[in-house]
mmCIF file of all heavy atoms in Angstrom:
data_model
loop_
_atom_site.group_PDB
_atom_site.id
_atom_site.type_symbol
_atom_site.label_atom_id
_atom_site.label_comp_id
_atom_site.label_asym_id
_atom_site.label_seq_id
_atom_site.Cartn_x
_atom_site.Cartn_y
_atom_site.Cartn_z
ATOM 1 N N ARG C 63 0.837 -1.198 0.000
ATOM 2 C CA ARG C 63 0.000 0.000 0.000
ATOM 3 C C ARG C 63 0.874 1.251 0.000
ATOM 4 O O ARG C 63 0.615 2.199 -0.723
ATOM 5 C CB ARG C 63 -0.927 -0.018 1.223
ATOM 6 C CG ARG C 63 -2.167 0.833 1.025
ATOM 7 C CD ARG C 63 -3.155 0.652 2.177
ATOM 8 N NE ARG C 63 -3.637 -0.702 2.289
ATOM 9 C CZ ARG C 63 -3.622 -1.428 3.410
ATOM 10 N NH1 ARG C 63 -3.145 -0.903 4.515
ATOM 11 N NH2 ARG C 63 -4.091 -2.651 3.425
ATOM 12 N N THR C 64 1.922 1.272 0.831
ATOM 13 C CA THR C 64 2.777 2.457 0.882
ATOM 14 C C THR C 64 3.539 2.616 -0.423
ATOM 15 O O THR C 64 3.701 3.721 -0.922
ATOM 16 C CB THR C 64 3.771 2.379 2.061
ATOM 17 O OG1 THR C 64 4.479 1.145 1.972
ATOM 18 C CG2 THR C 64 3.057 2.459 3.392
ATOM 19 N N VAL C 65 3.986 1.513 -1.007
ATOM 20 C CA VAL C 65 4.683 1.583 -2.289
ATOM 21 C C VAL C 65 3.746 2.135 -3.355
ATOM 22 O O VAL C 65 4.127 3.010 -4.124
ATOM 23 C CB VAL C 65 5.221 0.192 -2.691
ATOM 24 C CG1 VAL C 65 5.644 0.182 -4.160
ATOM 25 C CG2 VAL C 65 6.393 -0.194 -1.811
ATOM 26 N N ASP C 66 2.519 1.649 -3.381
ATOM 27 C CA ASP C 66 1.543 2.139 -4.356
ATOM 28 C C ASP C 66 1.322 3.638 -4.195
ATOM 29 O O ASP C 66 1.274 4.368 -5.175
ATOM 30 C CB ASP C 66 0.212 1.397 -4.201
ATOM 31 C CG ASP C 66 0.287 -0.010 -4.769
ATOM 32 O OD1 ASP C 66 1.299 -0.326 -5.417
ATOM 33 O OD2 ASP C 66 -0.654 -0.782 -4.558
ATOM 34 N N ALA C 67 1.201 4.086 -2.952
ATOM 35 C CA ALA C 67 0.931 5.503 -2.706
ATOM 36 C C ALA C 67 2.081 6.367 -3.203
ATOM 37 O O ALA C 67 1.855 7.355 -3.900
ATOM 38 C CB ALA C 67 0.698 5.740 -1.215
ATOM 39 N N SER C 68 3.305 5.992 -2.882
ATOM 40 C CA SER C 68 4.443 6.803 -3.322
ATOM 41 C C SER C 68 4.612 6.704 -4.828
ATOM 42 O O SER C 68 4.948 7.690 -5.486
ATOM 43 C CB SER C 68 5.726 6.369 -2.612
ATOM 44 O OG SER C 68 6.053 5.048 -2.951
ATOM 45 N N TYR C 69 4.355 5.530 -5.378
ATOM 46 C CA TYR C 69 4.465 5.363 -6.840
ATOM 47 C C TYR C 69 3.444 6.253 -7.542
ATOM 48 O O TYR C 69 3.775 6.942 -8.505
ATOM 49 C CB TYR C 69 4.243 3.902 -7.214
ATOM 50 C CG TYR C 69 4.133 3.700 -8.705
ATOM 51 C CD1 TYR C 69 5.277 3.683 -9.497
ATOM 52 C CD2 TYR C 69 2.891 3.551 -9.319
ATOM 53 C CE1 TYR C 69 5.188 3.519 -10.869
ATOM 54 C CE2 TYR C 69 2.798 3.381 -10.681
ATOM 55 C CZ TYR C 69 3.941 3.365 -11.452
ATOM 56 O OH TYR C 69 3.838 3.211 -12.807
ATOM 57 N N LEU C 70 2.224 6.250 -7.021
ATOM 58 C CA LEU C 70 1.171 7.068 -7.630
ATOM 59 C C LEU C 70 1.526 8.540 -7.541
ATOM 60 O O LEU C 70 1.294 9.297 -8.477
ATOM 61 C CB LEU C 70 -0.163 6.803 -6.934
ATOM 62 C CG LEU C 70 -0.928 5.578 -7.438
ATOM 63 C CD1 LEU C 70 -2.176 5.357 -6.597
ATOM 64 C CD2 LEU C 70 -1.300 5.734 -8.904
ATOM 65 N N LYS C 71 2.099 8.946 -6.387
ATOM 66 C CA LYS C 71 2.470 10.346 -6.226
ATOM 67 C C LYS C 71 3.504 10.730 -7.280
ATOM 68 O O LYS C 71 3.381 11.758 -7.938
ATOM 69 C CB LYS C 71 3.022 10.572 -4.812
ATOM 70 C CG LYS C 71 3.040 12.034 -4.400
ATOM 71 C CD LYS C 71 3.250 12.182 -2.909
ATOM 72 C CE LYS C 71 4.650 11.767 -2.524
ATOM 73 N NZ LYS C 71 4.924 12.015 -1.099
ATOM 74 N N HIS C 72 4.523 9.878 -7.467
ATOM 75 C CA HIS C 72 5.547 10.168 -8.451
ATOM 76 C C HIS C 72 4.975 10.134 -9.868
ATOM 77 O O HIS C 72 5.344 10.941 -10.704
ATOM 78 C CB HIS C 72 6.702 9.160 -8.335
ATOM 79 C CG HIS C 72 7.521 9.354 -7.109
ATOM 80 N ND1 HIS C 72 7.852 8.325 -6.269
ATOM 81 C CD2 HIS C 72 8.060 10.458 -6.561
ATOM 82 C CE1 HIS C 72 8.568 8.797 -5.269
ATOM 83 N NE2 HIS C 72 8.709 10.086 -5.419
ATOM 84 N N PHE C 73 4.068 9.202 -10.094
ATOM 85 C CA PHE C 73 3.453 9.096 -11.419
ATOM 86 C C PHE C 73 2.655 10.362 -11.732
ATOM 87 O O PHE C 73 2.770 10.929 -12.818
ATOM 88 C CB PHE C 73 2.551 7.867 -11.472
ATOM 89 C CG PHE C 73 1.886 7.684 -12.800
ATOM 90 C CD1 PHE C 73 2.598 7.198 -13.872
ATOM 91 C CD2 PHE C 73 0.547 8.001 -12.966
ATOM 92 C CE1 PHE C 73 1.995 7.033 -15.110
ATOM 93 C CE2 PHE C 73 -0.068 7.841 -14.198
ATOM 94 C CZ PHE C 73 0.666 7.351 -15.266
ATOM 95 N N ASN C 74 1.870 10.815 -10.749
ATOM 96 C CA ASN C 74 1.083 12.039 -10.942
ATOM 97 C C ASN C 74 1.998 13.223 -11.207
ATOM 98 O O ASN C 74 1.716 14.063 -12.055
ATOM 99 C CB ASN C 74 0.212 12.314 -9.713
ATOM 100 C CG ASN C 74 -0.957 11.351 -9.640
ATOM 101 O OD1 ASN C 74 -1.359 10.776 -10.635
ATOM 102 N ND2 ASN C 74 -1.504 11.185 -8.447
ATOM 103 N N GLN C 75 3.124 13.274 -10.469
ATOM 104 C CA GLN C 75 4.074 14.360 -10.653
ATOM 105 C C GLN C 75 4.655 14.322 -12.062
ATOM 106 O O GLN C 75 4.797 15.347 -12.721
ATOM 107 C CB GLN C 75 5.203 14.241 -9.609
ATOM 108 C CG GLN C 75 6.000 15.512 -9.435
ATOM 109 C CD GLN C 75 5.154 16.663 -8.934
ATOM 110 O OE1 GLN C 75 4.367 16.519 -8.000
ATOM 111 N NE2 GLN C 75 5.298 17.810 -9.553
ATOM 112 N N ALA C 76 4.971 13.121 -12.530
ATOM 113 C CA ALA C 76 5.537 12.967 -13.870
ATOM 114 C C ALA C 76 4.532 13.408 -14.926
ATOM 115 O O ALA C 76 4.890 14.075 -15.896
ATOM 116 C CB ALA C 76 5.949 11.516 -14.097
ATOM 117 N N VAL C 77 3.274 13.037 -14.738
ATOM 118 C CA VAL C 77 2.231 13.431 -15.689
ATOM 119 C C VAL C 77 2.077 14.946 -15.708
ATOM 120 O O VAL C 77 1.984 15.561 -16.778
ATOM 121 C CB VAL C 77 0.894 12.744 -15.338
ATOM 122 C CG1 VAL C 77 -0.245 13.352 -16.151
ATOM 123 C CG2 VAL C 77 1.000 11.248 -15.602
ATOM 124 N N LEU C 78 2.095 15.563 -14.532
ATOM 125 C CA LEU C 78 1.982 17.021 -14.466
ATOM 126 C C LEU C 78 3.150 17.684 -15.174
ATOM 127 O O LEU C 78 2.967 18.638 -15.926
ATOM 128 C CB LEU C 78 1.937 17.481 -13.003
ATOM 129 C CG LEU C 78 0.597 17.291 -12.290
ATOM 130 C CD1 LEU C 78 0.730 17.653 -10.818
ATOM 131 C CD2 LEU C 78 -0.486 18.124 -12.948
ATOM 132 N N ASN C 79 4.365 17.165 -14.940
ATOM 133 C CA ASN C 79 5.541 17.733 -15.599
ATOM 134 C C ASN C 79 5.427 17.597 -17.102
ATOM 135 O O ASN C 79 5.775 18.513 -17.851
ATOM 136 C CB ASN C 79 6.818 17.028 -15.099
ATOM 137 C CG ASN C 79 7.165 17.450 -13.679
ATOM 138 O OD1 ASN C 79 6.714 18.475 -13.205
ATOM 139 N ND2 ASN C 79 7.962 16.643 -13.015
ATOM 140 N N LEU C 80 4.937 16.443 -17.553
ATOM 141 C CA LEU C 80 4.777 16.205 -18.986
ATOM 142 C C LEU C 80 3.787 17.202 -19.578
ATOM 143 O O LEU C 80 4.035 17.795 -20.628
ATOM 144 C CB LEU C 80 4.291 14.775 -19.216
ATOM 145 C CG LEU C 80 4.208 14.329 -20.674
ATOM 146 C CD1 LEU C 80 5.594 14.299 -21.300
ATOM 147 C CD2 LEU C 80 3.547 12.967 -20.762
ATOM 148 N N GLU C 81 2.681 17.418 -18.883
ATOM 149 C CA GLU C 81 1.676 18.361 -19.371
ATOM 150 C C GLU C 81 2.240 19.778 -19.425
ATOM 151 O O GLU C 81 1.996 20.518 -20.377
ATOM 152 C CB GLU C 81 0.433 18.300 -18.489
ATOM 153 C CG GLU C 81 -0.382 17.031 -18.698
ATOM 154 C CD GLU C 81 -1.579 16.958 -17.775
ATOM 155 O OE1 GLU C 81 -1.662 17.755 -16.821
ATOM 156 O OE2 GLU C 81 -2.442 16.092 -18.020
ATOM 157 N N LEU C 82 3.021 20.152 -18.396
ATOM 158 C CA LEU C 82 3.632 21.478 -18.394
ATOM 159 C C LEU C 82 4.587 21.629 -19.567
ATOM 160 O O LEU C 82 4.606 22.654 -20.243
ATOM 161 C CB LEU C 82 4.382 21.714 -17.076
ATOM 162 C CG LEU C 82 3.509 22.062 -15.874
ATOM 163 C CD1 LEU C 82 4.355 22.137 -14.618
ATOM 164 C CD2 LEU C 82 2.788 23.387 -16.106
ATOM 165 N N ASN C 83 5.385 20.587 -19.810
ATOM 166 C CA ASN C 83 6.322 20.630 -20.936
ATOM 167 C C ASN C 83 5.579 20.766 -22.254
ATOM 168 O O ASN C 83 5.991 21.527 -23.131
ATOM 169 C CB ASN C 83 7.202 19.371 -20.955
ATOM 170 C CG ASN C 83 8.224 19.396 -19.835
ATOM 171 O OD1 ASN C 83 8.536 20.441 -19.298
ATOM 172 N ND2 ASN C 83 8.738 18.226 -19.490
ATOM 173 N N LEU C 84 4.478 20.037 -22.400
ATOM 174 C CA LEU C 84 3.699 20.122 -23.637
ATOM 175 C C LEU C 84 3.132 21.523 -23.819
ATOM 176 O O LEU C 84 3.134 22.069 -24.919
ATOM 177 C CB LEU C 84 2.569 19.088 -23.609
ATOM 178 C CG LEU C 84 3.007 17.642 -23.834
ATOM 179 C CD1 LEU C 84 1.827 16.700 -23.609
ATOM 180 C CD2 LEU C 84 3.542 17.463 -25.250
ATOM 181 N N GLN C 85 2.654 22.113 -22.725
ATOM 182 C CA GLN C 85 2.108 23.467 -22.815
ATOM 183 C C GLN C 85 3.193 24.456 -23.220
ATOM 184 O O GLN C 85 2.975 25.326 -24.056
ATOM 185 C CB GLN C 85 1.506 23.883 -21.464
ATOM 186 C CG GLN C 85 0.158 23.228 -21.188
ATOM 187 C CD GLN C 85 -0.366 23.573 -19.810
ATOM 188 O OE1 GLN C 85 0.298 24.273 -19.056
ATOM 189 N NE2 GLN C 85 -1.529 23.070 -19.475
ATOM 190 N N GLU C 86 4.397 24.304 -22.627
ATOM 191 C CA GLU C 86 5.494 25.204 -22.978
ATOM 192 C C GLU C 86 5.871 25.056 -24.443
ATOM 193 O O GLU C 86 6.113 26.038 -25.138
ATOM 194 C CB GLU C 86 6.709 24.919 -22.080
ATOM 195 C CG GLU C 86 6.523 25.414 -20.662
ATOM 196 C CD GLU C 86 7.681 25.031 -19.761
ATOM 197 O OE1 GLU C 86 8.646 24.417 -20.245
ATOM 198 O OE2 GLU C 86 7.609 25.337 -18.567
ATOM 199 N N GLU C 87 5.910 23.806 -24.926
ATOM 200 C CA GLU C 87 6.237 23.572 -26.337
ATOM 201 C C GLU C 87 5.188 24.215 -27.234
ATOM 202 O O GLU C 87 5.505 24.822 -28.252
ATOM 203 C CB GLU C 87 6.319 22.069 -26.620
ATOM 204 C CG GLU C 87 7.559 21.405 -26.046
ATOM 205 C CD GLU C 87 8.832 21.962 -26.636
ATOM 206 O OE1 GLU C 87 8.881 22.195 -27.854
ATOM 207 O OE2 GLU C 87 9.790 22.200 -25.869
ATOM 208 N N ARG C 88 3.914 24.107 -26.849
ATOM 209 C CA ARG C 88 2.838 24.676 -27.635
ATOM 210 C C ARG C 88 2.991 26.186 -27.702
ATOM 211 O O ARG C 88 2.808 26.820 -28.740
ATOM 212 C CB ARG C 88 1.490 24.277 -27.010
ATOM 213 C CG ARG C 88 0.407 24.085 -28.041
ATOM 214 C CD ARG C 88 -0.858 23.520 -27.426
ATOM 215 N NE ARG C 88 -0.730 22.122 -27.067
ATOM 216 C CZ ARG C 88 -1.116 21.601 -25.896
ATOM 217 N NH1 ARG C 88 -1.669 22.353 -24.973
ATOM 218 N NH2 ARG C 88 -0.968 20.325 -25.665
#
């Protein structure tokens, strides 16, 4: 459960960073 929670947090962070990068590129 703790691994899932931290993994999800990092995954969400990665997705947010990706979206920010896409917006900057646009």
Side-chain angles (χ1 to χ4, degrees):
R63 203 173 298 128
T64 53
V65 166
D66 285 351
S68 63
Y69 171 78
L70 276 175
K71 198 166 69 175
H72 289 131
F73 180 76
N74 287 338
Q75 197 62 46
V77 169
L78 283 174
N79 287 340
L80 186 65
E81 287 178 348
L82 282 175
N83 288 340
L84 285 173
Q85 284 176 358
E86 287 175 2
E87 287 298 318
R88 213 173 287 133

